[in-house]
Amino acid sequence: MNKPKLNRRKFLLVSAVAGGGVLIGYAATRPSRHRRANDSLASDNERFVTSWIRLQPDNRITVYVPHSEMGQGIHTALGQMAADELDAAWELVDIEQAPATDLFANDAIVKGFGGELLPPFLMGLVNASALTVARIANLQITGGSSSVRYTGENTIRVAGAAARQMLLQCAADRWGAAVDECTTELSHVHHSASGRSIPYGDLAEAAAELEPPAEPVLKDRSQFTIMGKAISRRDIPPKVDGSAPYGIDAHSEDMLYAALRLAPVFGSKLASVDATEALAQRGVRKVVELEDGYAVVADNYWRAKQALELVRAEFAPTANDGVSSAELAQRFDGALAEDNGSKDFESGDADAALEDAQDVFEASYRVPYLAHAAMEPMNCTVHIQGDRADLWTSTQDALGIKGRVAKVAGLSEDDVTFHHSYLGGGFGRRLPFTWNVIDHATLIAMEFDVPVKTILTREEDMRQDYYRPAVHSNLKAAFDGEGRVTVWHNRFTGPIQVPGAAHIPYAIPNQSIRVVDVDTHVPIASWRSVDHSQQTFFIESFIDEIAHRGRTNPYQLRMELLQDHPRHRNVLQVAAESAGYGSGLPEGRALGIAVQESFGSIAAQVAEVSIGEDGRPIVHKVTCAMDCGWVVNPDTAEAQIESGIIFGLTAALYGAITIEDGRVVQGNFPDYEMLRMTDSPEIVVHLVESGNAPGGLGEPATPPVAAAVANAIYILTGQRVRELPIGDRDFSTSRSLAGRI
Amino acid sequence: MARFILNGEMRELDIEPEMPLLWALRDELGMTGTNFGCGIGNCGACTVHVDGNALRSCVTPVSVVEGRDITTIEGLASVAGGANDLSPVQQAWIDYQVPQCGYCQSGMIMAATALLARNPAPTDEEIDAGITNICRCGSYPRVRKAIRALASV
C-alpha cells in the first residue's frame, strides 16, 4: 500500500493558553541523516501534537521536558537547549516534566533510532521492517542515551528557534520595523535603531496569532550562550533537603501498603496459599492471591512485609526447577559447539584465511547475568476509583506505564492520571516491557478503593528483575606469515539486543561474527549500555590478546588497525597521554586500555591497576577520553561519565547473578556487592572536541572499563581475565609481565 | 507507644516497639525524605541522626530511640541553625553538584554530616571508612570532593 508522501513542512503548532500565553510545539523533525526513516514515519504525525515551550505574559518561559529525570540532568540540559535557541534569560526559564498525556507524546526517540538500530524497549512499539510506529501516542521513553541527541536536537531546539522567530516578527510588526533590524537577548526583543525593547511576555498573546515558520534557523555553535555551559542542575536543590519526590514517596493518610512475593522460579504459578497467620497480624487487611504470587496488604509497609513471611504458600513445579548457572553455562557452550549460528557480520573469507594462517589462537569468554539494583526498589502506587485511577511510579516511560495500568485495570487510558516523580535510578529496569511490578500493583489495588502502594523488598527486587543477559563468546584470531592479523572470528550466545555491539572497528580483512540464540527461562532486558557491556569486554580484551600474541604494544596495534577511525584514534591518544601510558608508573602498577563506540559516542579508557597484598585487584585511577560531539552541559557530561565508569567497574569487580534450583541466588547487597567509596577510583575525564553532532552520554562510559582493568591485570600478572567478575579473585600467585611489553 | 523527638518536636505514635524507625517515619508520619534501600542496614539510604550519631533507621526499632533526639534530612538545616537555609554539607552538595538520581543522597548527607561532626578534617582513608553508603549512580568522586572542601574550611 502506498502511503501518501508527506510534505516535509513542519507541523509547528501554536495555541493560545489561559492567561494570555502561548504554547509552541513541534511534531516533526528537521531533515537529517534519518531522513529515510522520517519519510516513512512522518505520515503518522498528523494524529498527534507535541508541545514543548510555553511563553507567559509575566515573561517567564516554561520548557516541558518529555523525559524522565533519573539523575542524568536531562531537565536542565533540554531546558538549556530550548532557552539558548530562544535567547531567553536562564533565570526566567522554568522547567517542568511534560504531563503523561498524548499532547506530550515524544516520537523523537523512534525517529532518531529509525534506520540504524532499535533498542529492545522499542521493539514492541515499532514495526522494524517498515519503521512505522505502532502506537506513537504512547511514547514518552527515556532510554538509549537519546534525549539530547534526538529529542533535544530535533525537537526542543527547533521549537525554541521557531518561538524566537515568531517573537521577532511580533515585535517588528508592533514597531513597524523590519524583522532583520530587530535582535533578541535575555528574553527581550530589541530595535537598536529606535532604542526600543520589549519583554517576550508582552508579545506572547500576539505570537499565538502567528503562522509559525516552516524551517526555523538553528543557531550556529558560535552563537550559543547557554548551551555548552556547566549550568547547575535544577533537580539538585530538592535532592539535598529531602523534598524531591520519588515514586515510592507517594503518600496519603488512608493509603495501604503491599508487600509482594512472586514465584521464585520464573514462569511458575501459585499453587496454594495459607494466609491464616498473616491475616491475624496487626494492620493486615488482606492477602491477595495472584497468578504468579501473592501480596500482603496492610496499613504500614513494615507490617505487610513482616506478615508476608507468615504466609504459607506453594508454587507449582516447572521444567526449570533444576536449572543452575552451571547447567546454563553447559547449555551455552554446547550451543556454541554445535551450532554455527546466524550471521551478525561477515567480511572477506574467514574460513579460508584460517586455513592459510601461520598462527591461529582462540579464547573463550563469559560474563554472568546482572541485576539493575536501582537504589529505589521497584514500586508502584495505584488508586482505583470506580471508572478512573491515579498512578504514581518511577518510570522511564510515563505514557507507556499509564497505558499498561489502564489495560490491566480495564480502564480507558484517558481515565488514568499519572503523577510524575523523580526516579531513584533507572538503568533500563524502568523501561516498557518490564512490567512485573506494575501489573501486580494494579491487580492488588483493584481490590481496594484507597491508594495501595506496592513495594518490592530489596530481595524481591533482585530476584524478580529482567536481567542483563549472561553471554559466552568463543573468539578466534589468526596471523599470516608476516605477522599481520588476518582473521577475527566470534561465535557468541544471543539474543542480540542492540545490533552492532559485537562488530569491531578494527581493520581486519576476514571477519566472521555469528550469534547463536539460546533460550533460557531467565527474563532479560536492557541494562545500562545493553549488549555493549558484554561485547566490549570480549572485543577489547581479545584485541589485547592479539597484540600480546603478536608482540606488539596493545595501544600501537589499536592505532594501526583504526586507520579509518580518526575519532577512535583521537580519544585513544588523549586518554593514553593523559594517563601516562608508556611512561613511568609507581612500582607494581600497570595501565590497561580499551576503546568503544556506542550510542553515538566514542570512549577510550585507561585503568591504572595494582594487585593488593590479598591478591585482589585495586583500581587506582580511570582516565576517560570521550568524544560525544559538542556538549550541552560539560559538568553533567562529566558526571555521567563518572557514573558510567563506576557502574561498569561495579559489574567487572562484583556483579554476578547466579541461578540455583531455577531461581536467583542473590538477594541483597552483601551477595550482590556494589562499588563503594573505599574502592572508587580517581576518575579523570577529557571531553574531546570533535565538532560532531551530540552523541549519547548515559551509557557510553560503561562498556570499556572492564576490559581496561582486565588488560592491566594481564600486564601485572600474566593472567588473562576471560570471565567476570574479578573483584574477589586472587591474582597473587602470578608473575608480572611489566617491563617486558 | 513510641515517643521520640523528631527534628526538635516530640512525637508519639501508637506502634509496635519493634517497628523500624524508617517505617515509623515514612508510613506513620509521612516523612519521605529518609529512604528505603535494602532493609538490612547495608546501603545507608535510610541514615538518620540519633543524638547526633548516624544510624541506619531501617534496622533500628523505635524502642531503641525512645525519648531520644532524631534528626532527618528534613530537619538538618534547622538543626544546623539555619532555619530555612541549608546546612554547610547540603550547600556543598549543591556546589559540587553531587547528587545524580539523588535517592541515596539523604543518607549520604546524613552520614557525611555525622562524620564531619566527629572529625572536622577527615583524611581520604577516614572518608572511606566513614562513608559506607551505596550510591548506584556513582557519585563517590563528588562526595569525596565535597567532603574534602568542607574539611578544608
Side-chain angles (χ1 to χ4, degrees):
Chain A
M1 191 185 78
N2 277 334
K3 288 193 174 179
K5 190 79 178 167
L6 189 86
N7 178 346
R8 291 217 58 80
R9 190 184 136 80
K10 306 296 181 296
F11 292 94
L12 182 61
L13 297 133
V14 177
S15 53
V17 294
V22 58
L23 199 62
I24 298 172
Y26 251 88
T29 64
R30 290 183 296 145
S32 70
R33 66 199 171 96
H34 305 297
R35 179 189 294 269
R36 207 163 53 85
N38 288 344
D39 282 348
S40 57
L41 286 176
S43 58
D44 283 350
N45 281 338
E46 286 166 299
R47 297 192 201 143
F48 61 94
V49 179
T50 51
S51 299
W52 312 116
I53 293 171
R54 180 186 164 128
L55 305 175
Q56 292 149 214
D58 64 359
N59 209 27
R60 296 200 71 83
I61 291 167
T62 305
V63 180
Y64 290 95
V65 174
H67 288 293
S68 307
E69 181 58 81
M70 45 191 175
Q72 79 280 42
I74 197 59
H75 283 190
T76 307
L78 291 189
Q80 285 179 258
M81 295 176 95
D84 201 329
E85 290 293 348
L86 253 167
D87 273 341
W90 179 244
E91 64 277 10
L92 296 178
V93 174
D94 300 309
I95 297 160
E96 281 194 24
Q97 180 81 49
T101 62
D102 291 3
L103 184 66
F104 295 93
N106 175 32
D107 65 322
I109 181 169
V110 175
K111 290 175 182 235
F113 279 111
E116 48 173 81
L117 46 83
L118 286 171
F121 52 82
L122 288 177
M123 282 305 217
L125 296 168
V126 178
N127 177 337
S129 57
L131 281 175
T132 51
V133 180
R135 189 78 179 82
I136 206 152
N138 252 1
L139 275 180
Q140 226 172 34
I141 288 174
T142 304
S145 299
S146 67
S147 307
V148 163
R149 61 192 175 123
Y150 297 152
T151 308
E153 280 288 271
N154 296 335
T155 302
I156 299 288
R157 282 184 70 191
V158 180
R164 177 180 161 274
Q165 275 177 243
M166 292 159 71
L167 291 162
L168 274 170
Q169 183 68 55
C170 288
D173 289 351
R174 183 170 297 199
W175 294 329
V179 170
D180 61 9
E181 290 170 4
C182 299
T183 56
T184 51
E185 192 181 17
L186 298 174
S187 295
H188 285 73
V189 184
H190 303 285
H191 185 244
S192 58
S194 63
R196 281 178 293 196
S197 68
I198 185 168
Y200 286 173
D202 291 359
L203 299 167
E205 204 166 341
E209 305 297 321
L210 277 192
E211 180 71 13
E215 300 283 345
V217 179
L218 299 189
K219 282 185 177 180
D220 180 79
R221 282 188 63 195
S222 64
Q223 298 169 296
F224 290 176
T225 56
I226 299 172
M227 286 186 272
K229 290 218 165 88
I231 288 173
S232 293
R233 268 168 45 206
R234 292 286 181 88
D235 59 313
I236 284 187
K239 289 176 176 176
V240 306
D241 65 8
S243 64
Y246 298 91
I248 201 171
D249 294 337
H251 186 79
S252 73
E253 287 301 316
D254 59 352
M255 172 173 279
L256 294 175
Y257 302 82
L260 181 62
R261 173 125 325 136
L262 296 177
V265 178
F266 307 111
S268 177
K269 306 286 179 222
L270 187 65
S272 69
V273 174
D274 175 1
T276 319
E277 206 181 341
L279 285 167
Q281 303 303 307
R282 177 174 171 182
V284 173
R285 299 295 165 81
K286 200 169 201 169
V287 173
V288 179
E289 293 181 32
L290 302 154
E291 191 187 358
D292 59 347
Y294 54 91
V296 174
V297 182
D299 59 359
N300 172 296
Y301 183 64
W302 175 76
R303 290 183 184 128
K305 195 156 85 89
Q306 295 294 106
L308 188 69
E309 301 306 323
L310 303 175
V311 176
R312 291 191 190 90
E314 284 181 16
F315 289 91
T318 77
N320 296 309
D321 289 359
V323 172
S324 66
S325 282
E327 195 264 319
L328 287 174
Q330 277 178 9
R331 204 188 298 178
F332 286 15
D333 285 338
L336 289 177
E338 288 160 21
D339 188 342
N340 199 31
S342 53
K343 176 182 156 183
D344 181 18
F345 180 82
E346 308 256 11
S347 70
D349 187 339
D351 290 334
L354 280 171
E355 298 253 321
D356 296 343
Q358 183 77 20
D359 176 29
V360 178
F361 73 106
E362 47 195 284
S364 294
Y365 283 78
R366 63 173 64 174
V367 291
Y369 291 106
L370 294 175
H372 294 83
M375 290 310 293
E376 179 190 2
M378 292 302 290
N379 64 86
C380 180
T381 301
V382 181
H383 184 194
I384 306 277
Q385 300 139 78
D387 57 2
R388 64 169 305 280
D390 286 284
L391 163 65
W392 297 258
T393 189
S394 296
T395 176
Q396 292 175 246
D397 179 20
L399 264 172
I401 291 289
K402 183 175 105 156
R404 181 69 181 189
V405 168
K407 187 179 167 192
V408 173
L411 299 173
S412 147
E413 285 178 31
D414 293 340
D415 294 326
V416 177
T417 304
F418 179 85
H419 300 271
H420 270 286
S421 61
Y422 291 120
L423 279 66
F427 315 120
R429 176 63 178 94
R430 294 184 153 106
L431 281 166
F433 308 113
T434 55
W435 305 119
N436 61 3
V437 181
I438 307 299
D439 287 0
H440 295 106
T442 308
L443 292 168
I444 295 163
M446 286 168 72
E447 309 265 326
F448 299 90
D449 57 6
V450 295
V452 183
K453 174 155 62 180
T454 300
I455 307 174
L456 291 193
T457 60
R458 175 56 62 189
E459 289 78 9
E460 286 292 292
D461 185 273
M462 202 165 280
R463 290 174 177 149
Q464 301 294 340
D465 201 346
Y466 299 76
Y467 301 88
R468 194 286 300 263
V471 179
H472 288 204
S473 169
N474 288 343
L475 289 148
K476 237 183 259 185
F479 294 96
D480 65 12
E482 270 104 64
R484 286 180 302 230
V485 194
T486 54
V487 178
W488 178 278
H489 191 276
N490 186 4
R491 297 288 177 273
F492 63 95
T493 56
I496 289 175
Q497 293 190 295
V498 168
H503 300 185
I504 59 171
Y506 300 111
I508 297 175
N510 304 291
Q511 299 181 23
S512 173
I513 302 170
R514 298 177 74 88
V515 59
V516 180
D517 283 334
V518 186
D519 278 338
T520 77
H521 75 303
V522 182
I524 56 169
S526 298
W527 183 95
R528 194 176 192 169
S529 83
V530 206
D531 293 358
H532 292 285
S533 75
Q534 304 101 326
Q535 295 295 342
T536 304
F537 170 61
F538 305 150
I539 295 167
E540 285 300 298
S541 295
F542 195 59
I543 196 76
D544 225 69
E545 291 205 53
I546 293 172
H548 288 288
R549 180 88 170 192
R551 301 191 185 285
T552 48
N553 173 298
Y555 170 75
Q556 285 303 337
L557 180 72
R558 284 179 174 85
M559 292 299 264
E560 280 163 29
L561 296 178
L562 289 168
Q563 285 143 357
D564 300 332
H565 291 83
R567 294 175 73 186
H568 286 68
R569 287 167 56 94
N570 193 26
V571 289
L572 268 173
Q573 189 176 345
V574 170
E577 280 175 7
S578 167
Y581 197 88
S583 55
L585 278 176
E587 177 74 24
R589 293 199 187 181
L591 298 178
I593 197 162
V595 63
Q596 171 66 13
E597 176 172 7
S598 63
F599 306 97
S601 296
I602 303 156
Q605 291 176 4
V606 179
E608 184 176 328
V609 182
S610 71
I611 301 299
E613 284 173 12
D614 58 1
R616 295 182 193 183
I618 301 169
V619 182
H620 299 273
K621 181 173 156 186
V622 177
T623 305
C624 179
M626 179 72 79
D627 175 356
C628 54
W630 61 266
V631 176
V632 174
N633 187 320
D635 190 56
T636 54
E638 271 193 42
Q640 281 302 291
I641 293 167
E642 291 162 5
S643 175
I645 289 169
I646 289 171
F647 206 85
L649 192 55
T650 299
L653 295 181
Y654 303 123
I657 288 291
T658 53
I659 309 290
E660 291 297 334
D661 300 326
R663 60 195 76 192
V664 168
V665 174
Q666 293 73 21
N668 212 317
F669 292 123
D671 8 305
Y672 190 72
E673 185 57 291
M674 297 285 120
L675 201 79
R676 305 191 192 220
M677 201 75 178
T678 184
D679 40 15
S680 179
E682 179 189 353
I683 294 175
V684 176
V685 174
H686 298 277
L687 298 170
V688 174
E689 183 57 62
S690 66
N692 285 283
L697 264 181
E699 295 165 280
T702 296
V705 69
V709 171
N711 294 340
I713 289 174
Y714 180 74
I715 295 172
L716 288 167
T717 68
Q719 287 185 50
R720 177 54 65 179
V721 172
R722 297 196 184 98
E723 185 175 356
L724 299 175
I726 49 168
D728 289 328
R729 216 164 114 179
D730 184 353
F731 291 94
S732 61
T733 56
S734 45
R735 67 206 156 71
S736 169
L737 302 182
R740 292 197 277 128
I741 297 153
Chain B
M1 191 67 77
R3 285 160 54 96
F4 47 81
I5 301 158
L6 178 61
N7 300 327
E9 229 180 282
M10 177 62 81
R11 308 301 292 254
E12 274 189 24
L13 293 171
D14 174 21
I15 53 174
E16 303 87 322
E18 61 270 30
M19 182 184 290
L21 177 60
L22 172 68
W23 299 109
L25 291 171
R26 289 187 61 85
D27 293 359
E28 302 297 317
L29 296 167
M31 301 281 284
T32 54
T34 305
N35 287 329
F36 167 53
C38 68
I40 58 169
N42 185 282
C43 77
C46 66
T47 306
V48 299
H49 291 174
V50 176
D51 297 334
N53 298 312
L55 208 78
R56 295 190 172 176
S57 65
C58 75
V59 288
T60 305
V62 288
S63 59
V64 169
V65 299
E66 184 71 24
R68 295 168 76 179
D69 253 313
I70 293 160
T71 306
T72 65
I73 189 72
E74 292 96 338
L76 193 61
S78 55
V79 168
N84 292 323
D85 293 327
L86 297 173
S87 76
V89 175
Q90 288 170 312
Q91 187 57 52
W93 251 238
I94 294 178
D95 295 343
Y96 288 87
Q97 296 282 291
V98 174
Q100 289 191 29
C101 90
Y103 192 78
C104 73
Q105 296 296 344
S106 294
M108 199 69 92
I109 288 169
M110 298 310 280
T113 303
L115 169 68
L116 287 160
R118 65 172 191 272
N119 180 358
T123 62
D124 273 1
E125 290 69 29
E126 288 166 338
I127 295 173
D128 286 349
I131 308 290
T132 56
N133 303 43
I134 294 174
C135 172
R136 187 67 167 132
C137 299
S139 64
Y140 305 116
R142 288 166 186 244
V143 169
R144 188 184 301 280
K145 263 187 215 163
I147 294 177
R148 277 183 187 155
L150 289 159
S152 62
V153 173

